[in-house]
Amino acid sequence: MKELKILVVNNYGQFCHLIHRAVRDLDMDTKIIPNTTPIEDILAEEPDGLILSGGPEMDRAGLCFDYVRKIDLPILGICLGHQAIALAYGGHVHAGKKGGYAEVEIEVLEEDDILRGLGPKATVWASHADEVAVLPEGFIHLARSDICEVEAMRHPTKPIYGVQWHPEVSHTEKGEELLTNFLEICEKY
């Protein structure tokens, strides 16, 4: 795979630097940017894709809603990034029944291109303090768990994906495969 440029949007999550490192370890050009970076500045960087990091609260998601609506690039939302995608397209987010960061077994409903090779089940690490409660209209439901119905989703026509879990942490099974799948999507786009 050729070297791609991936921008990691910092939503003040504790693992943002791990996303950056995981992408860099896959031999990609990557950079962390503030979630207040104007769209024109992002486009001037000529990235091949964006990753929206997790974060503590939606009030601090900066311009993420604009990014997912207006930037025509592959986008992967992780945790809060996943929730921001859902909200930007009319879905709903609520507080999860199980809040803390913990091991969760996910069931892959549709392997799709982002979850290729991850199913039928995988053990991942996720926080469910908040979670997507209702998929945006038309979105494709990709994965679920016993504690959260919408663990992963994708936009019906754009290369926009969301996962509740953290593929960048070492405890997540097949996290590197998910990131590699995203990079392959970026390369083909």
Side-chain angles (χ1 to χ4, degrees), residues 36-108:
T36 53
T37 305
I39 289 174
E40 53 274 11
D41 292 357
I42 290 175
L43 296 177
E45 296 259 0
E46 298 183 358
D48 295 293
L50 298 180
I51 298 177
L52 309 179
S53 82
E57 55 194 45
M58 200 58 69
D59 291 348
R60 296 179 69 194
L63 299 174
C64 283
F65 302 111
D66 290 339
Y67 300 162
V68 298
R69 284 192 212 107
K70 297 176 181 175
I71 295 178
D72 184 23
L73 287 170
I75 297 174
L76 173 62
I78 296 172
C79 197
L80 182 125
H82 165 66
Q83 297 157 23
I85 292 166
L87 290 172
Y89 284 97
H92 297 284
V93 172
H94 67 190
K97 294 179 207 98
K98 304 235 183 199
Y101 181 66
E103 181 179 274
V104 178
E105 184 178 74
I106 57 127
E107 174 188 357
V108 175

Side-chain angles (χ1 to χ4, degrees), residues 65-185:
F65 302 111
D66 290 339
Y67 300 162
V68 298
R69 284 192 212 107
K70 297 176 181 175
I71 295 178
D72 184 23
L73 287 170
I75 297 174
L76 173 62
I78 296 172
C79 197
L80 182 125
H82 165 66
Q83 297 157 23
I85 292 166
L87 290 172
Y89 284 97
H92 297 284
V93 172
H94 67 190
K97 294 179 207 98
K98 304 235 183 199
Y101 181 66
E103 181 179 274
V104 178
E105 184 178 74
I106 57 127
E107 174 188 357
V108 175
L109 303 173
E110 178 138 356
E111 274 208 7
D112 197 72
D113 43 1
I114 194 76
L115 300 184
R116 190 179 68 254
L118 272 68
K121 293 185 185 287
T123 301
V124 301
W125 280 75
S127 166
H128 287 86
D130 293 304
E131 60 193 27
V132 176
V134 178
L135 272 175
E137 189 174 333
F139 269 59
I140 299 159
H141 191 188
L142 300 178
R144 63 166 305 283
S145 72
D146 289 341
I147 63 169
C148 175
E149 192 53 36
V150 185
E151 291 281 1
M153 64 183 185
R154 72 161 291 176
H155 190 284
T157 58
K158 297 178 180 180
I160 298 175
Y161 307 85
V163 295
Q164 182 66 37
W165 68 90
H166 290 271
E168 71 277 14
V169 300
S170 60
H171 302 311
T172 290
E173 284 180 359
K174 301 180 182 173
E176 186 176 303
E177 286 90 332
L178 186 147
L179 292 172
T180 298
N181 288 344
F182 179 67
L183 296 172
E184 287 175 0
I185 292 163

Side-chain angles (χ1 to χ4, degrees), residues 9-18 53-56 60 80 166:
V9 177
N10 185 358
N11 286 314
Y12 309 101
Q14 59 183 337
F15 300 128
C16 184
H17 66 287
L18 291 179
S53 82
R60 296 179 69 194
L80 182 125
H166 290 271

